[in-house]
């Protein structure tokens, strides 16, 4: 009969020590909190060229978020095709909070203007917050004979299809607001799309196009410099930034109104805690007096809202602009 041998006390202690060595890291790892977002630079896709209103807003917000969150928010300009390529890029990016897009009014217009979008605004994005809102301003080359909206309508009626208006691209608010104007006024103007506001304004100042409906943020500096003249603002009431510039409604086209906005979107499926962190930081950034002053000086209002409210706002915008597209008969050139 074989004797049963029990391990020595020394071997038992060694085995127990080894077991603790394997167990301890697992316990520590399970108890360690997840790293706080963000732990690396964040890409902020701007679907327009540098120098335009969306780019101006994005760069200020990116700098403030970088300062507040301890990681760089890097601007990545992806202009063209009504802001669609930039939006599609972000829609297809990992839903981890490290690739975001600055959306505009155009992204609420595009579903009813483009037949085959490579993304769905409702399904492929998680709303973070609105950033800004504000009116557009009708600016014209100083050589254009019209000095106000009534004279612009009369000029357009006398030269059907001869007046060229620039826009920052097909489907942008700068395009559709002009189409709505033309439809309500009963005039025909020729649309010249550009890849952003900056080149469109350059050609309007140079006389290649006669006028443009643009954001006050990018257009008013040129008005103040005397390179463009402002005919009217597109809001229901006058802007405090340019109180001497009348509204379209009061100066020849009753009932007309168009507003532009910017907002931040993440890919659908982005963790709720990441969206919450971004929203909380944006709320502080957009409430900062220097940020509000910089936006308001150019005709924009800082406009934070919750993710849920921003989602509802965008849905309403999609419905509103679908009606404008139908009424105006606007088409992608």
């Amino acid at each position: 009969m074989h004797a049963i041998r029990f391990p020595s006390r020394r071997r038992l202690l060694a085995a127990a020590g080894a077991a603790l060595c394997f167990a301890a890291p697992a316990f520590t790892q399970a108890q360690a909190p997840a790293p706080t977002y963000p732990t690396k630079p964040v890409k902020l896709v701007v679907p327009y060229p540098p120098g335009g209103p969306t780019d101006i807003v994005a760069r200020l917000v990116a700098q403030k978020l970088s300062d507040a969150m301890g990681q760089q928010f890097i601007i990545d300009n992806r202009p063209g095709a009504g802001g669609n390529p930039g939006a599609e890029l972000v829609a297809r990016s990992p839903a981890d909070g490290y690739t975001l897009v600055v959306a505009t009014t155009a992204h609420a217009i595009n579903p009813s203007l483009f037949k085959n979008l490579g993304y769905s605004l409702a399904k492929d994005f998680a709303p973070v917050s609105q950033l800004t809102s504000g009116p557009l301003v009708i600016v014209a080359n100083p050589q254009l004979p019209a000095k106000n909206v009534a004279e612009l309508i009369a000029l357009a009626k006398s030269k059907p299809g001869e007046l060229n208006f620039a826009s920052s691209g097909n489907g942008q608010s700068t395009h559709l607001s002009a189409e709505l104007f033309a439809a309500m006024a009963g005039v025909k103007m020729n649309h010249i799309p550009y890849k952003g506001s900056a080149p469109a304004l350059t050609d309007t100042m140079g006389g290649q196009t006669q006028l443009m409906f643009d954001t006050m943020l990018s257009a008013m500096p040129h008005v103040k410099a005397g390179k463009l003249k402002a005919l009217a603002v597109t809001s229901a009431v006058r802007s405090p930034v340019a109180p001497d510039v009348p509204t379209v409604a009061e100066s020849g086209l009753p009932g007309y109104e168009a507003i532009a906005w910017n907002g931040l979107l993440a890919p659908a499926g982005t963790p709720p805690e990441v969206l919450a962190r971004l929203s909380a930081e944006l709320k502080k950034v957009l409430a900062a007096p220097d940020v509000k002053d910089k936006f308001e000086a150019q005709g924009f209002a800082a406009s934070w809202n919750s993710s849920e409210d921003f989602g509802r706002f965008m849905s309403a915008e999609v419905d509103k602009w679908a009606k404008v597209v139908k009424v105006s008969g606007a088409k992608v050139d």
Side-chain angles (χ1 to χ4, degrees):
M1 185 174 179
H2 296 287
I4 299 175
R5 296 189 179 186
F6 293 95
S8 66
R9 183 171 181 273
R10 181 181 297 176
R11 287 181 179 177
L12 284 170
L13 289 173
L20 285 174
C21 288
F22 283 101
F27 177 82
T28 303
Q29 186 175 7
Q31 297 298 317
T36 302
Y37 169 87
T39 60
K40 62 182 181 180
V42 178
K43 182 191 295 184
L44 197 57
V45 174
V46 177
Y48 306 98
T54 304
D55 183 70
I56 292 170
V57 168
R59 289 181 186 276
L60 178 56
V61 170
Q63 183 58 59
K64 293 295 184 179
L65 287 176
S66 298
D67 294 343
M69 300 179 77
Q71 289 288 347
Q72 277 192 305
F73 279 68
I74 302 168
I75 299 296
D76 182 7
N77 294 94
R78 298 292 182 110
N84 290 325
E88 185 174 355
L89 170 70
V90 176
R92 303 287 173 259
S93 296
D96 55 10
Y98 290 97
T99 307
L100 310 170
V101 64
V102 180
T104 70
T105 315
H107 294 99
I109 295 170
N110 289 346
S112 58
L113 194 64
F114 289 83
K115 291 182 179 179
N116 298 304
L117 288 180
Y119 63 90
S120 165
L121 189 64
K123 297 178 181 178
D124 292 334
F125 294 101
V128 180
S129 172
Q130 193 172 341
L131 300 175
T132 65
S133 64
L136 302 175
V137 58
I138 305 176
V139 291
N141 182 282
Q143 302 304 314
L144 188 75
K147 298 186 294 292
N148 53 51
V149 166
E151 291 183 6
L152 175 61
I153 292 172
L155 180 64
K157 285 184 176 180
S158 70
K159 297 182 177 182
E162 293 185 30
L163 288 184
N164 293 329
F165 75 89
S167 81
S168 55
N170 283 310
Q172 307 300 302
S173 59
T174 56
H175 171 202
L176 266 292
S177 58
E179 295 284 8
L180 178 61
F181 176 92
M184 290 180 66
V187 300
K188 173 63 178 175
M189 299 189 295
N190 188 36
H191 176 217
I192 309 295
Y194 290 80
K195 291 184 178 181
S197 283
L201 285 169
T202 297
D203 273 9
T204 303
M205 288 184 280
Q208 286 86 351
T209 58
Q210 283 74 54
L211 68 153
M212 182 178 180
F213 288 56
D214 197 26
T215 63
M216 299 186 76
L217 185 65
S218 55
M220 287 309 292
H222 301 298
V223 172
K224 292 175 182 177
K227 297 178 181 179
L228 293 168
K229 59 182 178 182
L231 303 184
V233 294
T234 64
S235 47
V237 297
R238 294 193 183 198
S239 168
V241 174
D244 294 334
V245 180
T247 68
V248 173
E250 74 177 277
S251 56
L253 197 58
Y256 179 92
E257 182 182 9
I259 298 294
W261 53 267
N262 291 299
L264 194 65
L265 303 177
T270 299
E273 60 271 21
V274 171
L275 297 175
R277 177 88 201 280
L278 283 167
S279 179
E281 294 298 340
L282 278 172
K283 186 175 185 179
K284 290 184 281 188
V285 165
L286 296 173
D290 61 326
V291 173
K292 293 176 70 174
D293 289 347
K294 285 179 181 178
F295 287 160
E296 289 173 3
Q298 301 296 343
F300 266 139
S303 302
W304 180 88
N305 50 18
S306 69
S307 296
E308 295 78 10
D309 286 345
F310 185 38
R312 284 189 286 268
F313 169 80
M314 285 196 300
S315 179
E317 282 286 285
V318 170
D319 292 342
K320 180 185 82 174
W321 285 107
K323 294 174 184 175
V324 172
V325 170
K326 184 176 181 180
V327 168
S328 67
K331 297 178 181 179
V332 175
D333 296 334

